[in-house]
Amino acid sequence: MRDIVVLTIILGSVPICFFRPFFGAMMWVWVAYFNPHRFTYGMAYNFPVSTVIAIPTLLGILFFRKVNRGIFVRETVMLLLFWAWITITYIHATQVPLFADHVEDARFELINVSKVLLMTFVLVLMVTSKKRLDTLFLVTAFSFGALAIKGAVFGILTGGNFRVWGPPNSFVYDNNDFGLALNMSIPMMFYMTREVESPRLRKLLWLSFYCSIFAVILSYSRGALMGLMVVLGAISLKSKQKILAGALLVVFAILLLTFAPAAWMDRMGNFAHGELDESAEGRLHAWQFAWTFASEYPIMGGGFETFTPQLEARFTPQFGFAGPHSIYFQTLGEQGFVGLGIFLLVLGGCFYTLRRLRRRVRGQPPFAWIINYSNMIEISLLGYVVSGAFLPRAYFDLWFQLAAATALLKILYEHARSSETTEEVSSPGMSETLAVPAG
């Protein structure tokens, strides 16, 4: 029954995606984050839902004239540069005999990342108004919010003694990845309560917000827990009632330590005392491998999927295989110092743009929503750079969306300013002022 429902929704949306590409882009976001097909047990489980949604959407854009103009701003240009660089490093890897063992996996990963980046640019083209930007973040927030509510219910029913996981065979299945995704979406749930008018949607966002916090804790991910503390702290610092928000955080921490299940306390105990377990030591070994390997291949690294047992045994034989375990060291090993530099420039550029936009719109009531959005995106990115320091998610879908959203804020603001200028110049009073008397 689930298979029929999911396939009916996906296949039934195909013509709508063609005639209304923005709807198709939102369907792709929903499918990418919520993974509805992973909750089935039959033919829908491995059905190529993303492709079925993406193809009519891309075709529809060819006939859809209302798209953003002037999309080549700093963030989109840097994303294009990053896309070009990861393609170059893959081509380079195919020419190095030492990398032969992981070239096929690298090709598969390049295709996947390219699909994500392509649809990311579709979002930049199709989100042409604040209303559409609202829709984009509401779809994102509710996709992860539904998963968080499901995880919170599971945690309550099991007394918090088991880890919460994402949808099977999805990019957020792993408990660490799921915690990272929720940390990045928690600010969306919080700040979007200020943008929606419907009381029901606002209540649902608050429910998703609190369940997401609970689900991050029950993910048993120490990196996600650090990210959660940073995200909630940043939300509190940006709150108008900082003292009250800070007090609530302290109460929350006390309740957590008082009522947390024994399994969770055991997991976090060594971490809190600065002691390293096998998992933590594996991360340090992986970072050592990335640095050693990049020292040998500093320009282009080894391409995608460089962290293989064969290469780790060759460059750091004293350590066991651990995988990248960090967005920074993953990028360093796979894309070299140049790729890491581009990656950090995209991140840094986003933070710079968001703060600059806030300064530009202060004192302009019509653009107050940009301040709300810039705070939201900034804290989501903060969750990514903190939790991501311990996770191999350098090519995370949601991270690319946040970079695109930063570009969209800039584009929509410039469009709005241009429209205001045009209206002022074309208004009767202004026309008389600017008119030059004849003779």
Side-chain angles (χ1 to χ4, degrees), residues 132-338:
R132 289 190 170 187
L133 193 62
D134 290 344
T135 303
L136 169 61
F137 277 103
L138 285 174
V139 171
T140 303
F142 284 132
S143 295
F144 287 117
L147 297 176
I149 293 171
K150 177 178 178 294
V153 171
F154 171 80
I156 293 172
L157 294 178
T158 59
N161 288 301
F162 299 94
R163 299 183 186 185
V164 171
W165 305 80
N169 291 324
S170 70
F171 74 99
V172 292
Y173 170 65
D174 182 79
N175 64 311
N176 297 292
D177 297 333
F178 189 45
L180 170 64
L182 291 181
N183 279 336
M184 296 172 68
S185 56
I186 282 173
M188 302 177 197
M189 300 165 190
F190 179 83
Y191 282 98
M192 288 308 296
T193 59
R194 305 177 183 182
E195 300 297 332
V196 297
E197 298 179 358
S198 168
R200 291 183 179 180
L201 284 181
R202 196 174 295 116
K203 290 178 181 178
L204 190 55
L205 283 168
W206 280 120
L207 176 63
S208 300
F209 175 78
Y210 291 115
C211 285
S212 293
I213 294 174
F214 191 41
V216 170
I217 295 170
L218 292 184
S219 70
Y220 281 64
S221 170
R222 291 167 294 193
L225 181 63
M226 287 186 64
L228 177 64
M229 291 188 293
V230 170
V231 165
L232 294 181
I235 290 175
S236 299
L237 288 174
K238 290 180 178 291
S239 171
K240 293 182 179 179
Q241 299 178 339
K242 295 181 176 61
I243 297 177
L244 176 60
L248 290 175
L249 278 179
V250 172
V251 172
F252 169 75
I254 294 173
L255 291 174
L256 173 62
L257 295 176
T258 303
F259 297 103
W264 189 88
M265 291 299 293
D266 290 341
R267 171 72 173 167
M268 301 300 165
N270 292 337
F271 176 65
H273 291 91
E275 300 175 8
L276 299 179
D277 58 12
E278 184 178 348
S279 175
E281 288 183 353
R283 281 179 166 82
L284 295 178
H285 296 166
W287 300 346
Q288 179 62 51
F289 163 78
W291 182 264
T292 303
F293 181 82
S295 298
E296 292 290 328
Y297 297 90
I299 305 300
M300 296 187 181
F304 290 107
E305 305 296 334
T306 292
F307 292 76
T308 64
Q310 295 81 4
L311 289 178
E312 292 206 24
R314 179 184 179 93
F315 287 91
T316 53
Q318 69 274 31
F319 303 137
F321 175 67
H325 287 300
S326 169
I327 57 176
Y328 309 111
F329 286 99
Q330 179 185 15
T331 308
L332 176 62
E334 295 183 347
Q335 312 302 334
F337 284 97
V338 175

